[in-house]
């Protein structure tokens, strides 16, 4: 099972190849998941941001159901995808259903949000469970693409849920979080670990055991999947080298009055910042972030998309023939600066989350925010 946020970490920007990259990626995922025999997928807000059309297309490529009990069509007020599915093992019926947090902004565009809405998860869960019980399900599993406190709320309000599989949360919990009779599992992010739950039922009692299996190099890639992945990389390279469609954009503003706020601002590159912030630029030059791209060349990985994501800036969301800026630049921390400084969009909302996108457990095991922050602070 997969609990969502498969695609890129941001909504596709207009005038870029992001959407095409997303399509390429979801094709690879669906093909691989079919091959591996997945049973269910619950999309997250990141997948939704690619648009409902895209998600429907994806679901048609899948041999397993997309479960989203509270993702409702604005028109029919019914779920857009399947709400639940039932699996049976040795006479025990297991009811699975998916929920998405209504706190996430609907979709990437206004038009999108008119197409669907996210209904109250607790209400929908109660209704769905009643239906599953009617069909004699003994075990109830929720694929919950939600914030931690919402998952805990769900467990507290509905004790008949045995297992909650967390989506959205990138936390890695070695032990399940227990609430009444519900166990919540958090298996980290980026497919680095497989969460495995074994359970058996004796008389009226359900016993379970939870394991996290780190998906290290110990598990060799299947040759077929490796072949698909290689083809994906070739196709991706081609896409990255294709300049994005160039419909004219409004040039950065001259006066505040004329400024139109772009939906997704583009990355400008460190040379742009240099002219007005020479001091911060100099201090950045003294950090290894300014050399993160060169780091890849001795390893022959300068164009490997799996490395570029963290060793470059703005991958796929820049107006730059190379489709990225080399190194971990200003905007990797400060965010895309198109329109700055005229638009008064703050570029100083930097927190630990920002760093953790790259400094994750796999690539930066010693990451400790205060210590690391101290090392990259701009000297005055
Ligand atoms: C044309 C000059 C100019 C350029 C180019 C420029 N800045 Fe600024 N920047 C300013 C000015 C002026 C301010 C103070 C504006 C304010 O307080 O509203 C500022 C403020 C900031 C701040 C602190 C206030 C905030 O917005 O939160 C950050 C961070 C920042 N700039 C980052 C950058 C980065 C990163 C770049 C390059 C992508 C960049 N700037 C390019 C002029 C510039
Ligand atoms: C876009 C990805 C990315 C982001 C965002 C990012 N980093 Fe990094 N960081 C890297 C990479 C890659 C390196 C390794 C650079 C190299 O040597 O090639 C690195 C190296 C570092 C180092 C040097 C480690 C050492 O001891 O040599 C520090 C410190 C650091 N980062 C702190 C931070 C902090 C703090 C943040 C958030 C405010 C942050 N980084 C955000 C990718 C990132
Ligand atoms: C998820 C983000 C991420 C990805 C993907 C990634 N890296 Fe890194 N890499 C980092 C960070 C962060 C550091 C700095 C770690 C630290 O010092 O804590 C780093 C450090 C390194 C370093 C050590 C730099 C030095 O000299 O100190 C090398 C080499 C490196 N990465 C190569 C690669 C290669 C090759 C790939 C692709 C196979 C890759 N990285 C993919 C985030 C990433
Ligand atoms: C690794 C993350 C990171 C990178 C890369 C980075 N900054 Fe910053 N920047 C910060 C943080 C964090 C602050 C907040 C101030 C602090 O905590 O010291 C900051 C603050 C600023 C400010 C506000 C004034 C100040 O000095 O506090 C400006 C302007 C700025 N940065 C510009 C830049 C420019 C220009 C670049 C690229 C040349 C850049 N930054 C690269 C993390 C980063």
């Amino acid at each position: 099972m997969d609990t969502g946020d498969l695609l890129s970490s941001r909504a596709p920007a207009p005038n870029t190849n992001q959407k095409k990259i997303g399509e390429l990626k979801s094709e690879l995922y669906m093909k691989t998941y079919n091959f591996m025999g997945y049973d269910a997928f619950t999309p997250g807000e990141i997948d939704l941001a690619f648009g409902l059309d895209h998600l429907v297309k994806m679901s048609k490529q899948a041999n397993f159901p997309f479960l989203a009990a509270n993702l409702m069509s604005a028109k029919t007020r019914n779920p857009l995808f399947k709400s639940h599915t039932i699996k049976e093992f040795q006479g025990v019926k297991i009811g699975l259903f998916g929920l998405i947090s209504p706190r996430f902004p609907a979709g990437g565009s206004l038009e999108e949000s008119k197409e669907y809405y996210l209904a109250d998860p607790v209400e929908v869960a109660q209704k769905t469970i009643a239906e599953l019980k009617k069909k004699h399900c003994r075990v109830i599993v929720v694929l919950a693409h939600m914030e931690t406190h919402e998952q805990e709320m769900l467990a507290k309000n509905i004790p008949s849920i045995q297992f909650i599989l967390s989506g959205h949360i990138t936390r890695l919990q070695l032990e399940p979080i227990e609430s009444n009779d519900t166990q919540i599992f958090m298996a980290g992010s980026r497919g680095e670990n497989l969460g495995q739950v074994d359970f058996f039922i004796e008389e009226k009692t359900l016993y379970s055991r939870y394991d996290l299996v780190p998906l290290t190099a110990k598990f060799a890639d299947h040759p077929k999947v490796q072949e698909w992945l290689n083809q994906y990389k070739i196709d991706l390279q081609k896409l990255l080298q294709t300049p994005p469609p160039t419909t004219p954009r409004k040039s950065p503003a001259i006066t505040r009055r004329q400024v139109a706020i772009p939906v997704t601002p583009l990355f400008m590159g460190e040379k742009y910042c240099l002219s007005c912030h020479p001091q911060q630029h100099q201090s950045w030059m003294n950090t290894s972030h300014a050399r993160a791209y060169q780091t890849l060349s001795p390893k022959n990985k300068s164009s490997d998309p799996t490395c570029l994501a963290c060793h470059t800036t703005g991958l796929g969301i820049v107006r730059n023939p190379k489709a990225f800026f080399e190194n971990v630049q200003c905007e990797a921390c400060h965010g895309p600066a198109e329109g700055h400084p005229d638009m008064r969009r703050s570029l100083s909302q930097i927190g630990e989350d920002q760093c953790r996108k790259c400094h994750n457990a796999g690539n930066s095991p010693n990451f400790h925010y205060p210590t690391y922050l101290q090392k990259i602070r701009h000297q005055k």
Side-chain angles (χ1 to χ4, degrees), residues 270-344:
E270 40 93 9
K271 293 201 172 61
Y272 174 70
C273 321
L274 173 61
S275 53
C276 301
H277 302 294
Q279 220 177 338
Q280 285 83 1
H281 193 277
Q282 187 51 50
S283 87
W284 169 74
M285 289 291 281
N286 294 335
T287 68
S288 63
H289 283 148
R291 291 174 295 281
Y293 183 65
Q294 285 87 312
T295 294
L296 297 178
S297 57
K299 316 242 170 235
N300 267 332
K301 295 280 188 185
S302 300
S303 56
D304 185 335
T306 54
C307 313
L308 292 180
C310 300
H311 286 255
T312 68
T313 304
L315 187 63
I317 328 172
V318 286
R319 282 297 204 81
N320 177 331
K322 219 171 169 179
F324 58 81
F325 288 113
E326 293 177 7
N327 304 317
V328 179
Q329 297 195 357
C330 326
E331 290 162 289
C333 290
H334 288 287
E338 187 185 28
H340 168 82
D342 305 86
M343 272 171 20
R344 304 236 141 201

Side-chain angles (χ1 to χ4, degrees), residues 109-122:
S109 67
L110 272 177
E111 213 170 309
E112 197 66 47
S113 63
K114 282 189 206 140
E115 280 185 81
Y116 61 81
Y117 65 98
L118 290 156
D120 177 60
V122 174

